[in-house]
């Protein structure tokens, strides 16, 4: 309700929302609020444990790979809010997926994880989700620039992509 109330309080002035929230439940709530109110949103995935800013790309939330945060959000949207499941492609074919119209900024770089033997959770300044590298400012900055470019593209082409919850066959 809080995210819905927040987005409602911004209407009609808000043109697009840029989401850089690190918490899965809060991120999912903001995406859902934007869907409910028809407000375009650009969401950013997790930057922790990544070191190559050239691997940052954009695509629909349904197309995201190598991002645990966005994977968990997508799963929550499917399981708790009725968004359709993204089919697994058969070998040698591409699945036909109805996009959710939620542009996502994410990295195709495989996240470097902390091995349990290297982790001392009691004294380490790194959170477990930060991976072996922590969060690098040149990577998070790139996420922000890529998200901003997506917003500028939407505005300059007058193509404000409003998120849409596609109907599943059961609905």
């Amino acid at each position: 309700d809080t995210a819905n109330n927040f987005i409602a309080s911004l209407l009609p002035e808000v043109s697009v929302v840029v989401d850089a929230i690190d918490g899965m439940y809060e991120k999912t709530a903001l995406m859902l609020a934007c869907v409910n109110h028809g407000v375009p949103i650009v969401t950013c995935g997790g930057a922790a444990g990544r070191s190559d800013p050239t691997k940052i790309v954009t695509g629909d939330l349904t197309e995201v790979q190598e991002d645990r945060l966005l994977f968990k959000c997508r799963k929550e949207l499917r399981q708790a809010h009725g968004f359709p499941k993204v089919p697994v492609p058969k070998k040698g074919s591409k699945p036909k997926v109805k996009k959710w119209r939620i542009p996502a900024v994410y990295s195709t770089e495989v996240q470097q994880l902390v091995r349990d033997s290297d982790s001392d959770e009691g004294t380490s300044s790194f959170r477990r989700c930060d991976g072996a590298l922590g969060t690098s400012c040149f990577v998070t900055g790139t996420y922000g620039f890529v998200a901003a470019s997506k917003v500028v593209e939407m505005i300059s082409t007058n193509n404000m992509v409003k998120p849409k919850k596609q109907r599943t066959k059961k609905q």
Side-chain angles (χ1 to χ4, degrees):
D1 280 339
T2 304
N4 266 317
N5 293 339
F6 174 68
I7 294 298
S9 74
L10 299 175
L11 295 173
E13 291 83 12
V14 68
S15 297
V16 62
V17 171
V18 175
D19 159 40
I21 298 171
D22 286 335
M24 185 270 290
Y25 291 109
E26 296 83 359
K27 180 179 280 296
T28 303
L30 183 60
M31 284 190 259
L32 192 58
C34 287
V35 169
N36 292 341
H37 291 284
V39 174
I41 182 170
V42 176
T43 189
C44 295
R50 304 185 198 277
S51 62
D52 188 351
T54 66
K55 301 282 186 178
I56 297 170
V57 298
T58 62
D60 191 78
L61 185 59
T62 59
E63 302 167 332
V64 173
Q65 298 176 355
E66 300 300 339
D67 192 294
R68 293 183 310 193
L69 176 60
L70 293 179
F71 169 80
K72 289 176 183 177
C73 292
R74 193 169 59 202
K75 185 176 180 180
E76 176 73 11
L77 287 168
R78 278 194 331 265
Q79 291 181 346
H81 303 287
F83 280 70
K85 186 170 184 172
V86 178
V88 176
K90 293 179 183 172
K91 210 171 200 175
S93 68
K94 265 187 144 177
K96 288 191 175 183
V97 179
K98 287 190 175 182
K99 295 181 179 179
W100 294 355
R101 300 174 49 95
I102 300 174
V105 178
Y106 63 100
S107 176
T108 59
E109 177 183 11
V110 177
Q111 185 179 30
Q112 298 181 28
L113 302 175
V114 175
R115 293 190 317 250
D116 286 339
S117 61
D118 294 343
S119 176
D120 183 359
E121 293 186 55
T123 60
S124 174
S125 62
F126 290 119
R127 297 181 318 230
R128 295 224 18 104
C129 66
D130 283 340
L133 300 173
T135 305
S136 304
C137 64
F138 56 87
V139 175
T140 56
T142 303
Y143 271 79
F145 285 127
V146 172
S149 74
K150 193 68 180 169
V151 170
V152 169
E153 175 189 320
M154 292 167 84
I155 293 169
S156 66
T157 61
N158 199 27
N159 184 20
M160 302 303 284
V161 179
K162 293 183 180 178
K164 187 174 183 183
K165 179 177 157 182
Q166 302 291 342
R167 293 199 172 275
T168 60
K169 291 179 183 177
K170 294 179 184 177
Q171 291 178 328

